[in-house]
Amino acid sequence: MAFPSRAAVAVEETWDLTHFYTTEQQFEEALQQVQQQATDFEAQFAGNLQDSTTIIKALEALEQLRLVMTRIGTYANLHHSVDQTNTEHQMRAGAVGTAFAKIAAQTAFLQSDLLQLPAALLDETMQQAPQYKNFLAAILREKPYTLHPEVEKALAAFSGTWNAPYALYNTTKLVDMKFPDFTVEGKDYPMSYNLFEGDWELETNTDIRRAAFDAFSAKLRDYQHTTAKTYETHVKQEKTEADLRGYDSVLDFLLFPQEVDRDMYNRQIDVIMTELAPHMRKYAKLLQRVHNLDNMTFADLKIPLDPGYEPTITVEESRQYMQDALGIMGDDYQAMLDRAFDERWIDFANNEGKSTGAFCSSPYGVHPYVLISWTSRMNEVFVLAHELGHAGHFYEAQKHQNIFDARPSLYFIEAPSTMNEMLMANHLLKNSDDARFKRWVISSIVARTYYHNFVTHLLEAAYQRKVYELIDAGKSLHAPLLNELKRAVLEEFWGDTVTLNDGAELTWMRQPHYYMGLYPYTYSAGLTISTQVSQRILREGQPAVDDWLAVLQAGGTKSPAELAKMAGVDVTTEQPLRDTIAYIGSLIDELETLTNELDNQ
């Protein structure tokens, strides 16, 4: 059956957004006040940054402005994310976007004015207000790419327009795209984005699973040209800004804020494409053998190795798993987990119009919020642990850093989340000697943690790099070309081990990450770090945990390479990546051994 409306789901399955504002009137008043706050900020400080005392006052005012904006923006976005069919949510999000674009233009002078000041004055300011040292250093780092103040102001005024392709993508995907039922042997089955990605991809009945893939792909195909044009608009905007600012390429423009060079970026993609592929092909063949498939297709890659064994799990049961597996992180971390459940930080509901997948939003000064669509599958303990990893990261960082310094480079973002998946796996393996249970846990790590981050997102990254190379070369994008690029990446990785169903090439349409800069490759980067640190924790115990907590608390005060080094990992070399790939290979070898043992019992 179809998902219920948002109004029909149980309130205890939803998150509590009254932690932002208890009434809509409070939100409206806050939105009006922050616009006046921005106007006053411009009037007081534009053209007046002549001494360190005034600069510090301006930064203090900006800090307060951003705190209020974060609260307002997150409130609107979280409402919108749980029901994108709701016109009230759409209007609220639109009003915030318009207001924030104006505020961005009003505050754009700050960076330009600061960059015109003598370096000695900025050094003096950093010494007097060390809490703003990283913020000022980041501005100075951008100096070679900063444009005339009036140009910066104009670009900031268009910030809402720059975000339009992502909004259009989501509207197409979650509002306009309606999936009809599909039929197998005379029986009708419901279809939606969440149903396909949460259930039908994992369905063990091959006829139903493949029919679902065909039906899902057919509807995607109806929207491929609109989605391609939306995506082209987004990447061409990025290319235009990269050119305006004087970057050599759009890739360099997107890597700059990550504090990552092209070598680190390319290595993450190239080494995995070459060296992980043989291991994953071996895993695909194991799936084919266990499920007695005459042909291993792209539609079969997400099926569980032992579907008959995977138990269901309630939300309350998941809470105990979080406590048991993540308790190693200490009392404060455990208290955060309790609050997440007790205070309804998590939205578990399945309803029409809800965003697909899962995410964590961590507004400074409030607390993290987690979105997940709970289907009661046991593998969702890994999904929830992942998102609570983000929550724990920013919970710790925001206690120790100001709003400017709380968020690290995008390159590092997925390390704390995937760390929690590894801790969950370590806990489950440690507490059972049963061969079938061990196989289930290891297969969950391979099929969810590593497949999701080292295969799905990495193949997105390889495809995305090809797209940006075309854009840098002055080419245009269209659906047939994007389909061709995606299919070529899939063929390169899977070889002749996996038959690509008609529709596999359309998977570029399914991920929102392409509208978030160079995000996809960072999943494998983060998991490389967390794999190595989780192994340290197994070997060393508390000292490794203490190092990791210090990394979380550091927030964005260090580069991703420096953060990884604090945890004992050198990501400037190939070794951590190769060690992680070897570890994945060892897991797949163990799956094969356990399967052979179970088959011979």
Side-chain angles (χ1 to χ4, degrees), residues 321-454:
Y321 276 99
M322 298 303 127
Q323 288 284 2
D324 292 344
L326 308 180
I328 192 173
M329 296 294 290
D331 293 341
D332 188 52
Y333 203 96
Q334 284 210 357
M336 182 274 297
L337 295 173
D338 281 332
R339 289 185 62 195
F341 284 89
D342 292 337
E343 300 174 14
R344 288 174 45 215
W345 296 4
I346 309 170
D347 198 275
F348 292 98
N350 267 304
N351 60 263
E352 184 182 4
K354 185 175 181 179
S355 293
T356 60
F359 68 72
C360 176
S361 179
S362 299
Y364 197 101
V366 188
H367 59 69
Y369 279 88
V370 169
L371 178 143
I372 184 172
S373 297
W374 195 256
T375 63
S376 297
R377 292 180 182 269
M378 181 67 180
N379 71 343
E380 287 183 339
V381 298
F382 289 98
V383 182
L384 186 56
H386 178 106
E387 299 307 336
L388 288 172
H390 287 305
H393 183 193
F394 290 107
Y395 178 81
E396 292 291 338
Q398 290 176 14
K399 285 195 304 180
H400 293 83
Q401 308 299 336
N402 63 31
I403 192 170
F404 298 129
D405 289 348
R407 190 175 184 85
S409 160
L410 192 62
Y411 182 94
F412 191 82
I413 284 292
E414 294 300 335
S417 55
T418 53
M419 167 62 86
N420 275 14
E421 294 190 57
M422 301 309 298
L423 293 177
M424 178 63 68
N426 291 345
H427 165 73
L428 294 175
L429 288 172
K430 184 175 67 175
N431 286 278
S432 177
D433 292 324
D434 180 75
R436 196 173 182 196
F437 181 75
K438 285 183 67 176
R439 184 174 72 163
W440 176 81
V441 174
I442 295 170
S443 66
S444 295
I445 303 169
V446 172
R448 214 227 73 81
T449 302
Y450 284 110
Y451 191 105
H452 188 65
N453 300 295
F454 255 77

Side-chain angles (χ1 to χ4, degrees), residues 499-510:
T499 299
L500 299 183
N501 313 62
D502 189 22
E505 72 282 358
L506 298 170
T507 52
W508 63 268
M509 296 177 63
R510 293 169 54 182

Side-chain angles (χ1 to χ4, degrees), residues 95-280:
V96 170
T98 299
F100 281 13
K102 182 179 178 182
I103 290 172
Q106 290 175 307
T107 58
F109 74 88
L110 182 72
Q111 180 163 328
S112 300
D113 286 6
L114 287 172
L115 289 176
Q116 294 177 36
L117 298 175
L121 179 56
L122 293 180
D123 288 340
E124 177 187 330
T125 303
M126 291 181 192
Q127 292 175 6
Q128 292 184 16
Q131 68 271 30
Y132 299 129
K133 180 179 180 180
N134 291 311
F135 178 78
L136 291 171
I139 287 178
L140 288 172
R141 184 169 170 261
E142 293 180 14
K143 186 172 184 176
Y145 307 106
T146 300
L147 303 172
H148 186 280
E150 289 303 316
V151 178
E152 292 289 353
K153 184 173 183 178
L155 288 174
F158 276 103
S159 59
T161 304
W162 304 151
N163 295 328
Y166 181 45
L168 179 57
Y169 167 78
N170 276 323
T171 300
T172 303
K173 174 179 175 179
L174 299 172
V175 180
D176 286 345
M177 201 177 291
K178 302 297 184 183
F179 293 86
D181 293 351
F182 65 99
T183 304
V184 179
E185 295 183 353
K187 183 177 180 180
D188 292 338
Y189 297 89
M191 175 62 74
S192 70
Y193 245 103
N194 277 325
L195 274 175
F196 178 74
E197 295 185 343
D199 283 307
W200 298 131
E201 274 195 309
L202 311 176
E203 171 61 45
T204 55
N205 183 304
T206 299
D207 290 338
I208 295 175
R209 181 179 64 255
R210 291 179 178 176
F213 182 89
D214 291 342
F216 182 74
S217 299
K219 181 54 64 174
L220 289 185
R221 194 172 289 107
D222 288 344
Y223 288 85
Q224 62 179 315
H225 300 292
T226 297
T227 307
K229 183 56 66 175
T230 301
Y231 181 39
E232 183 190 43
T233 301
H234 171 74
V235 295
K236 283 193 170 181
Q237 285 177 176
E238 292 175 319
K239 173 60 176 171
T240 298
E241 184 171 357
D243 288 346
L244 284 173
R245 296 191 179 281
Y247 287 90
D248 291 336
S249 74
V250 68
L251 288 169
D252 293 316
F253 166 63
L254 295 171
L255 286 171
F256 182 84
Q258 293 185 19
E259 298 180 82
V260 171
D261 60 31
R262 287 284 283 272
D263 287 342
M264 287 175 66
Y265 167 69
N266 287 327
R267 180 173 67 239
Q268 201 69 29
I269 297 172
D270 294 336
V271 173
I272 293 176
M273 285 293 291
T274 302
E275 299 187 15
L276 180 64
H279 296 301
M280 294 310 300

Side-chain angles (χ1 to χ4, degrees), residues 210 276-289 293-301 451 489-501 588 592:
R210 291 179 178 176
L276 180 64
H279 296 301
M280 294 310 300
R281 292 173 190 176
K282 184 175 183 180
Y283 174 68
K285 289 177 180 177
L286 181 61
L287 281 179
Q288 181 179 2
R289 183 187 114 197
L293 300 175
D294 57 345
N295 181 31
M296 187 67 186
T297 76
F298 186 78
D300 304 321
L301 286 169
Y451 191 105
V489 168
L490 294 174
E491 288 174 344
E492 179 184 351
F493 188 82
W494 292 112
D496 58 6
T497 301
V498 176
T499 299
L500 299 183
N501 313 62
I588 293 170
E592 195 167 55

